[in-house]
Every structure is written in C-alpha cells, then in structure tokens.
Amino acid sequence: MSQITQKAILTLALVIGAGAAGSAAAVAPVADAPLAATSTAPQAEPKRAEALAGSTPTAPQVEPKRADALAGPTPTASPADAKLTDAALAAPTHTVPVADAKLLEVTRRRALVEAQFAASEQVCYTQFFANRCLDKAKEKRRVTLAVLRRVENEANHFKRADSVDKRDLALAEQNAKSVADAARRGALPPKAVAPARANAAPVARAQSEHAAKARRQQELDAAKVGQRASNVAAYEKKQRDAAERQRQVAAKLAAKAEKARQAAAAAAASK
C-alpha cells in the first residue's frame, strides 16, 4: 500500500470519528431531559415542611451569671508563683513580698542548675575528653550558684532589716504607751493608805523564834568546831603513833642485822 493510500485512510477515519462525536452530543440533551424532569420531586411549602418536621430540639441556654457560678472562680496565679526575670532578681529589694519571691525563684533556679549539671555529667562521660567537659560544667554551675547566692543574701538581709525595723517600731510604741500611762497615773490623786492592823504580838513571837533558831545554829556550829578540833588531835596522835612504830621496827631490824654481821665475823675468825 502506498503512502498516499495510508494518508487517505487516516483522514477518512478522523472524519468518521468526528461525525460520531457530533451525533452523540446532539442526542445527550434529549436523553437527559426526561431524567431531569422525572427526578424533580415536588417541593413542599416551607411552613408545612417545618410543621411536618417538628421543632428541632435545642440545648437549654444557661444564664451568664448562673454559668459563672456553676463554673466556679477562675484560678489566678499568685505573684509568688510567677517566675522572676534576671533583671528583677538583680534589682534592689524594697518589700518583703518581693524578697519572698526572690527566695522562691532562687530555690527553683538552684534546683534547675543542679539538674542541668547532672545531665551535663552524663553527657561528659560519653566524650573522649571527659575531664575537660566536667570542668566546664562545674565552672558554669559555680558561677550560676554564686549569682543566686548573692541574690539570696540580699533578700535575707532585707527581711532581717525589715524585722528589726518593725521590732524597733513596736518597742517605741510600747515605750510611748508606758510614758503616757505613767503620766496618766501621776495625774490621779494618791490612794489612801489603809491603817496597819494590830499585829505586834505575832511579829514579836516571830522575832523571838528567829533569835532562838539563830542561837541553836550557833551552838551547833560551836559543837562542830570542837568536834573538828578533837578529830584533828586524834588524827595527829595516830600519825605520831605510826611514826613511833615504824621507828621501833627499823631499830629491831638494825639490831638483827648487826647480830647477824657479828655472828658471821665470829664464824670467819674461828676458821
């Protein structure tokens, strides 16, 4: 088959395909129209449809005030729970609540520093130069803890000074009250002194009992002195007797030794 014949056949096929597509397009609206007409259902009236459907159930609306009461109070963060910035920590302390907040923040940061150091230790142990890494971590912890210690000391110093000022103020108020009370009492007329009751006899009896008791005590002291002197004399006599006995024993021993020496000399001379 020649090339001209092939081109003619292709052209004819293209023309036939275009005609078939046109006829299909013309038939499609006619076929779809009955389907569209039959598929259209009669629409009910809006009011009647709502009546048939019934009222749609809706959730009961709660009043705003009642809803707030049921929900309860909204939790609010206290100033002490708020985290302080570095600038707030470095600023001078002027109130006790600020000092308390600083101390809480120092405690929180100190725990955080220790936790970070512990994590750094675990990381350093996995490295080749572990000692160098540990030294850097320790130096970082030391510097941070030194800063926190200065903040803690400043807050504690302010609290101590504030307590001292309050104590001085309370003492001054108490002294002023005491002076005012003394002045008020001085302005009052003196109280009448009640006459003493007749108690001369009991007083005299008490004085005599006291004097008798003092005399008995003196006698006991004198007897104790005499007894002490006799005890001393007896002790000294015992010491003298013991010394005499020792002297006699020593003399006897010397006499025995002399006799033994003489007997030994006599025995030697007889030989």
Side-chain angles (χ1 to χ4, degrees), residues 37-218:
T38 56
S39 62
T40 303
Q43 301 292 330
E45 297 179 1
K47 294 182 179 180
R48 186 177 180 184
E50 293 178 0
L52 292 175
S55 59
T56 304
T58 58
Q61 300 295 329
V62 182
E63 298 179 0
K65 294 183 179 180
R66 187 177 179 184
D68 296 339
L70 293 175
T74 303
T76 58
S78 61
D81 296 335
K83 298 179 181 179
L84 298 180
T85 60
D86 294 341
L89 287 177
T93 306
H94 297 291
T95 59
V96 174
V98 172
D100 293 336
K102 283 187 177 182
L103 293 176
L104 289 176
E105 182 65 16
V106 166
T107 302
R108 187 188 69 81
R109 292 197 181 192
R110 185 177 286 120
L112 181 61
V113 167
E114 295 297 340
Q116 291 177 351
F117 176 73
S120 300
E121 280 186 324
Q122 298 301 324
V123 174
C124 290
Y125 289 141
T126 61
Q127 298 182 5
F128 183 75
F129 297 102
N131 292 333
R132 183 181 301 176
C133 179
L134 289 173
D135 292 340
K136 291 182 179 179
K138 290 178 181 179
E139 180 64 17
K140 181 179 179 181
R141 181 184 66 168
R142 185 190 67 80
V143 173
T144 307
L145 291 179
V147 174
L148 294 177
R149 193 176 302 110
R150 286 196 295 269
V151 174
E152 184 180 27
N153 292 337
E154 189 267 344
N156 286 328
H157 176 74
F158 176 82
K159 291 186 68 175
R160 286 193 297 268
D162 182 76
S163 63
V164 170
D165 293 340
K166 290 180 179 178
R167 183 186 60 191
D168 293 342
L169 180 61
L171 290 176
E173 292 178 353
Q174 185 177 0
N175 291 335
K177 184 179 180 181
S178 299
V179 171
D181 292 342
R184 182 176 55 82
R185 287 194 299 270
L188 295 176
K191 295 182 179 180
V193 180
R197 294 173 11 174
N199 53 359
V203 171
R205 184 172 59 255
Q207 290 178 352
S208 62
E209 291 178 354
H210 179 71
K213 185 178 180 180
R215 286 193 301 271
R216 287 195 300 270
Q217 186 64 36
Q218 291 177 357

Side-chain angles (χ1 to χ4, degrees), residues 8-31:
I9 294 173
L10 291 175
T11 303
L12 181 60
L14 291 174
V15 171
I16 293 173
S23 62
V27 174
V30 177

